[in-house]
Amino acid sequence: MASGEEGVPGFLTETQRMVLSAALEERDALRGEVRAVDPKEPTGPRPHIEHATKHPPAARAHHRAVAQKQERRSHQVTNGRPKKAGGGGKGTWGDPLDLHNYEHEMDPGDPLYESDEDDEPMHVALPTPVAHTVEDYKRKVVALLEEFFSSGDISAAAQDLKDLAQEHYHHHVVKRMVTMSLDRHDRHKEMAAQLLSALYAAVIAPDQLAKGFKNLLESVEDLEIDCPGAGDVLATFLARSVVDDVLPPAFLKRMAKKLETGEGAGAGGAAGAEDGDGEGEAGAGQAAGGTGGRALEVVRAAEGKLASAHHAEVLEKCWGGSARVTYEGAKGSIKQLLAEYVVSGERGEACRCIRELNLPFFHHEVVKAALIMAMENKPKEAALLSLLQEAAQEGLISASQVSKGFGRVFQNIDDLALDVPSAPDDLQRMVAHATSHGWLSAAFADGVWADLVAAEASVTNETSKVLQDFKSRSSLIVAEYFESGDVMEVTRSLEELAYPDLHHHLVKRLVTMAMDRNNREREMASQLLSALFQDVLPTDQVEMGFLRLLEAVDDLALDIPDAATQLALFISRAVIDDVLAPHFVLGLPGNAPPVVAADTAAADTTSAPPAEATAAADAGADATPAGPTAPAAAEEPEEAALGGGPALAAVAASSLAREVVHMSQALITARHAGERLLRCWGGSAAVGRSVADAKESIVSLLSEYVAGGELSEACRCIRELNLPFFHHEIVKQALVRGMEEPRHEPRVLLLLQEASDEALISTNQMARGFQRVADALPDLVLDIPNAVPQFAALAETAKSRAWIPADFAYKAELPGGDVVAGAQEGKEGAVSEPAAA
């Protein structure tokens, strides 16, 4: 090795040292350029930088030639490095000092990436597939609806739907809402209908809502595979939406026309494909294209529901309706708000009250009540019409509801004319006023008004045909019921007839046919009236039916000699069964007799308080009530004492119907009337239950109770026995079981306590049960040696808890000749022990 020319030892020659120095300077210069380079400037091989210092141009050219000759690297444009240098080879990261291929652009995906190193922010906008957006939206909608069905919070559901901000996908919400409620309870269907009504226009556009129902119609066959009754439920949803003014009535007509012609067969599939919905809507339209008949049937069924009588009220209650609003309650609220408006004149407050009713399908009642009130109170006519005008112009009352309200007034114009002779002229003037101010459609004034006038001329004939058809059908229904005893079939048949205003004819026909038959059919008729009451037969229809019977009793007596007695029994039995109100026969409470000894607790033990049951109990249980013919010779003072209700007011003074009313009054006010009237035709035994069967049911009931201890179940079974006059047998069997097995005595006492608190067993029935046990003591002491002190303790417990009267006393003669007597009120010694014991 040679040393340097300047005396510095080393392994490099002067030439090599000069080459190394030039390379280091070149590296430092390149590093400075990289730091100052623009990040957006493209990368690539950099040219050699000429240095004008230290060496002349000739020396620098010589040095470059030597360096290129000695440097072991490729002279290609790619600037690779040999593998021996540790970089540039396949699968390597390159040389740490490789500055020629330095990439100055920052990679946001790099784990070591820091945003502050990048001079300019990077914006990445990647397109999201449409199908992915729809699927994500559907999942969010399902979660939203699940939460709504759990909480029932309409405002929260509306806000969540607004937050999704996908208005053009709202038809999926409509479809999903209906399909999720198909296989759920009626409560959820009612919630879905109310949510649709609340979201309409405010959140969901009308076209989106119509599109949702259109998609439902086109996929109805697929829905029925999973939910067999989906078509009927969907028809109800369509009809309910029309009643709620969510769908226009023309929607059903348009859909029926399209389905008949096949124009709308594939619309749902096209809509589903356009939105990226590939789950089932894309194929629904194709399926409907070949078999659109089922969708058409659903539309026709919806139109049929809307064409029936009282369709608005029926559809509003089709799934139970709102538990807080009844038909009578809504009418009362409307009358109250109109009366307050007439006094105050605050239109804004009146509109707020109408809005808070939340009954858009019932706004025709507001129009009707306001028009009638204007006819009766002429000075307030202008104020009432201005209220209706403002409500119509604000969209609070729809045009269809306004027209329907005017139509209802016109249909009752004859009855109104009896109270307000100028009612027809007033109505005509109001129609002209409403039409001229634009809140009543001109079509109603021109076409509908003329149609109603023409229909009024033929309404008598049409009503006669409907009435005759209803009477013949009701006769068949009653005859079939007497053969089968199926109450549910009667209910279904009446619902199919869909004439609730004619149900009083059914009451009259049922009682008339039962009068001419045996006691079995008469008992079945009374039980059917009790079963149909309220749910099918409202109070006014029952009362009207019995009034028609009173009016026709003279003619009935020609064919049925004892028609008067039988009708009096039917009326009295209906009062005991709470089908007729007592004032129907007895009059108002102020006119009723001071003491009514009827054992109402035995007839309806769920409502009579224990105090009334105690007053109804009588120690003389064997007293004979007045005969049914006793009131026939009643004089005027007796009539005044008994008072008189609608039944007495509706009959003539010297007619047979008046005698029927007096008979009913005597039967109801007699002692133990409840028990006697419940057994007037043999009771439940007349329709197939014997005393032995009843006793066997009671024994089984008590056995299950003492074994399981289910108090509520035992009370339910007692109630389902439907033998209030035979409850003393339950008391007797329970006491005997407690005396035979003292370990069961606490449960027996608990059952009797609950039955007394709920008035399930009347005081009279309780006392009779204790008396029967006292009468059976001579036989019980043979099997239960300490039966006497046990019974005495039970009797004292019953007195202290007011199950039986405080003066309850008993007396029994034991086999040895000893006499056992119960303690009188105020004495301490309960029972005298027998000498033999």
Side-chain angles (χ1 to χ4, degrees):
M1 293 292 178
S3 60
E5 297 179 357
E6 299 179 359
V8 179
F11 296 96
L12 298 178
T13 64
E14 183 65 25
T15 303
Q16 292 174 341
R17 197 175 290 112
M18 292 174 62
V19 171
L20 177 59
S21 177
L24 292 174
E25 290 178 0
E26 183 181 10
R27 184 196 64 181
D28 294 336
L30 289 175
R31 282 181 177 178
E33 286 186 3
V34 169
R35 290 191 186 96
V37 74
D38 186 1
K40 294 185 177 181
E41 186 177 345
T43 60
R46 301 188 180 275
H48 293 286
I49 300 176
E50 299 291 342
H51 298 276
T53 59
K54 292 187 180 181
H55 306 288
R60 287 199 299 269
H62 174 71
H63 295 161
R64 284 197 301 270
V66 174
Q68 290 177 2
K69 183 178 180 180
Q70 293 180 356
E71 187 179 8
R72 295 183 178 181
R73 66 177 183 179
S74 175
H75 294 283
Q76 297 180 359
V77 182
T78 57
N79 290 331
R81 289 289 185 271
K83 293 182 181 180
K84 291 173 65 178
K90 183 178 181 181
T92 62
W93 288 358
D95 188 7
L97 297 179
D98 187 3
L99 303 177
H100 296 284
N101 286 331
Y102 180 82
E103 295 186 6
H104 57 274
E105 293 183 352
M106 301 298 180
D107 184 11
D110 191 348
L112 301 178
Y113 168 74
E114 294 183 3
S115 59
D116 56 355
E117 295 180 0
D118 204 349
D119 295 335
E120 191 172 321
M122 183 178 296
H123 299 280
V124 179
L126 298 177
T128 304
V130 175
H132 176 72
T133 304
V134 173
E135 293 304 320
D136 183 60
Y137 182 78
K138 283 188 172 183
R139 285 193 295 269
K140 292 179 180 179
V141 167
V142 170
L144 183 153
L145 293 175
E146 289 287 356
E147 182 178 355
F148 167 71
F149 285 138
S150 299
S151 65
D153 192 343
I154 293 179
S155 59
Q159 186 59 44
D160 292 343
L161 191 56
K162 289 180 180 178
D163 293 342
L164 293 180
Q166 297 286 349
E167 291 80 4
H168 55 290
Y169 288 156
H170 280 172
H171 60 278
H172 290 298
V173 181
V174 178
K175 181 179 179 182
R176 187 68 63 181
M177 189 187 309
V178 176
T179 54
M180 288 178 65
S181 65
L182 289 178
D183 55 351
R184 298 184 181 227
H185 297 294
D186 288 348
R187 180 177 71 89
H188 300 97
K189 297 181 178 68
E190 179 66 24
M191 291 173 66
Q194 292 182 5
L195 182 60
L196 283 176
S197 180
L199 298 180
Y200 174 71
V203 180
I204 300 180
D207 58 337
Q208 288 291 315
L209 196 139
K211 186 176 180 180
F213 275 105
K214 186 176 181 182
N215 292 342
L216 282 166
L217 282 171
E218 292 168 346
S219 60
V220 64
E221 293 184 351
D222 296 335
L223 293 175
E224 286 188 328
I225 296 175
D226 300 326
C227 184
D232 298 333
V233 178
L234 181 55
T236 306
F237 263 110
L238 287 168
R240 174 65 180 272
S241 299
V242 173
V243 168
D244 289 344
D245 284 336
V246 173
L247 284 176
F251 173 82
L252 296 178
K253 296 180 181 179
R254 288 198 302 267
M255 285 304 303
K257 183 177 180 181
K258 289 182 179 181
L259 291 170
E260 287 175 351
T261 59
E263 295 178 8
E274 180 183 351
D275 294 336
D277 183 5
E279 279 188 331
E281 289 184 12
Q286 297 175 1
T291 58
R294 182 54 184 156
L296 182 60
E297 291 176 3
V298 172
V299 175
R300 295 301 186 196
E303 291 178 339
K305 293 177 183 293
L306 292 172
S308 62
H310 307 284
H311 63 274
E313 291 80 2
V314 172
L315 289 169
E316 189 269 336
K317 300 178 184 177
C318 59
W319 295 307
S322 176
R324 296 167 295 178
V325 180
T326 62
Y327 178 73
E328 296 298 333
K331 292 180 70 174
S333 300
I334 291 171
K335 290 181 180 178
Q336 181 179 358
L337 74 89
L338 290 176
E340 293 178 356
Y341 166 71
V342 167
V343 175
S344 65
E346 293 287 340
R347 284 200 299 270
E349 180 66 17
C351 291
R352 185 188 65 80
C353 294
I354 295 174
R355 190 177 294 107
E356 287 183 353
L357 284 176
N358 195 23
L359 298 172
F361 60 89
F362 203 55
H363 283 170
H364 56 80
E365 180 66 25
V366 179
V367 179
K368 176 189 173 184
L371 294 177
I372 294 175
M373 188 175 292
M375 294 176 185
E376 296 174 348
N377 192 355
K378 296 294 177 59
K380 299 296 182 180
E381 178 180 335
L384 290 167
L385 292 179
S386 64
L387 173 63
L388 294 179
Q389 179 177 345
E390 182 172 342
Q393 290 176 350
E394 288 183 1
L396 182 59
I397 300 179
S398 64
S400 62
Q401 293 290 311
V402 173
S403 300
K404 188 174 182 180
F406 272 92
R408 290 185 62 196
V409 175
F410 179 79
Q411 291 171 354
N412 298 325
I413 196 65
D414 292 337
D415 296 335
L416 291 173
L418 299 177
D419 300 326
V420 185
S422 62
D425 297 334
D426 294 341
L427 180 60
Q428 199 166 11
R429 184 179 65 256
M430 293 176 188
V431 169
H433 173 83
T435 306
S436 62
H437 286 77
W439 53 278
L440 178 64
S441 63
F444 178 86
D446 298 336
V448 179
W449 183 271
D451 294 342
L452 287 175
V453 173
E456 186 69 16
S458 60
V459 69
T460 304
N461 296 332
E462 186 67 24
T463 303
S464 178
K465 293 179 181 179
V466 172
L467 182 59
Q468 292 299 327
D469 180 66
F470 182 84
K471 286 183 176 180
S472 60
R473 296 282 297 274
S474 61
S475 298
L476 295 175
I477 292 172
V478 172
E480 184 178 353
Y481 167 70
F482 285 152
E483 295 294 332
S484 64
D486 191 347
V487 177
M488 297 302 297
E489 181 64 22
V490 176
T491 304
R492 187 188 62 79
S493 300
L494 290 176
E495 290 177 351
E496 289 180 354
L497 287 179
Y499 291 115
D501 290 342
L502 300 179
H503 283 175
H504 59 277
H505 291 287
L506 174 72
V507 176
K508 179 181 177 182
R509 188 56 56 96
L510 175 65
V511 175
T512 303
M513 294 177 65
M515 285 181 182
D516 201 22
R517 298 191 178 220
N518 298 327
N519 286 340
R520 172 182 174 274
E521 284 77 11
R522 294 166 186 162
E523 178 66 24
M524 292 177 67
S526 293
Q527 293 184 5
L528 180 62
L529 288 176
S530 180
L532 298 181
F533 181 63
Q534 292 293 358
D535 293 336
V536 180
L537 297 176
T539 304
D540 58 340
Q541 291 293 314
V542 176
E543 290 184 355
M544 191 182 299
F546 277 103
L547 288 176
R548 294 290 180 88
L549 285 166
L550 287 171
E551 294 171 358
V553 68
D554 292 316
D555 296 332
L556 291 174
L558 299 176
D559 300 327
I560 308 171
D562 60 340
T565 304
Q566 294 295 335
L567 182 56
L569 288 172
F570 269 110
I571 293 175
S572 304
R573 174 66 180 272
V575 173
I576 294 300
D577 289 341
D578 279 341
V579 175
L580 284 176
H583 73 80
F584 178 80
V585 177
L586 301 176
L588 298 176
N591 297 329
V595 177
V596 179
D599 187 10
T600 55
D604 185 9
T605 57
T606 60
S607 59
E612 294 179 0
T614 305
D618 198 323
D622 296 328
T624 304
T629 58
E635 298 180 357
E636 200 65 25
E638 295 179 1
E639 294 178 7
L642 284 174
L648 195 60
V651 297
S654 59
S655 65
L656 182 61
R658 197 171 187 84
E659 297 182 9
V660 172
V661 175
H662 287 310
M663 289 183 194
S664 302
Q665 291 174 341
L667 290 171
I668 293 171
T669 57
R671 291 180 179 178
H672 309 290
E675 296 181 14
R676 295 177 184 275
L677 289 171
L678 285 171
R679 289 183 290 178
C680 60
W681 293 301
S684 297
V687 292
R689 170 168 287 187
S690 63
V691 176
D693 292 338
K695 287 185 176 181
E696 183 179 353
S697 299
I698 291 171
V699 171
S700 175
L701 181 157
L702 292 174
S703 299
E704 293 180 1
Y705 167 67
V706 297
E710 291 290 338
L711 184 61
S712 59
E713 180 68 16
C715 292
R716 185 187 63 81
C717 293
I718 293 174
R719 194 174 291 107
E720 288 183 354
L721 283 177
N722 196 23
L723 299 172
F725 56 86
F726 203 56
H727 283 171
H728 54 79
E729 179 68 22
I730 299 175
V731 179
K732 176 191 172 185
Q733 294 285 355
L735 293 175
V736 172
R737 187 177 292 269
M739 294 164 62
E740 289 177 345
E741 301 183 36
R743 61 191 178 90
H744 292 157
E745 182 176 329
R747 286 189 175 179
V748 168
L749 293 177
L750 184 61
L751 175 61
L752 295 179
Q753 178 69 53
E754 184 71 13
S756 177
D757 292 343
E758 293 185 3
L760 187 58
I761 299 178
S762 67
T763 306
N764 186 31
Q765 291 290 315
M766 196 79 74
R768 287 188 63 185
F770 273 87
Q771 186 62 51
R772 290 185 61 194
V773 176
D775 296 339
L777 281 177
D779 296 329
L780 290 175
V781 295
L782 300 178
D783 299 325
I784 309 172
N786 58 342
V788 175
Q790 281 185 324
F791 178 73
L794 291 172
E796 289 302 319
T797 301
K799 289 180 182 179
S800 64
R801 299 183 182 182
W803 301 349
I804 59 178
D807 59 350
F808 174 79
Y810 59 93
K811 186 177 181 180
E813 183 177 355
L814 299 181
D818 297 319
V819 177
V820 178
Q824 298 295 328
E825 184 178 9
K827 293 186 180 180
E828 298 234 348
V831 178
S832 59
E833 293 286 349

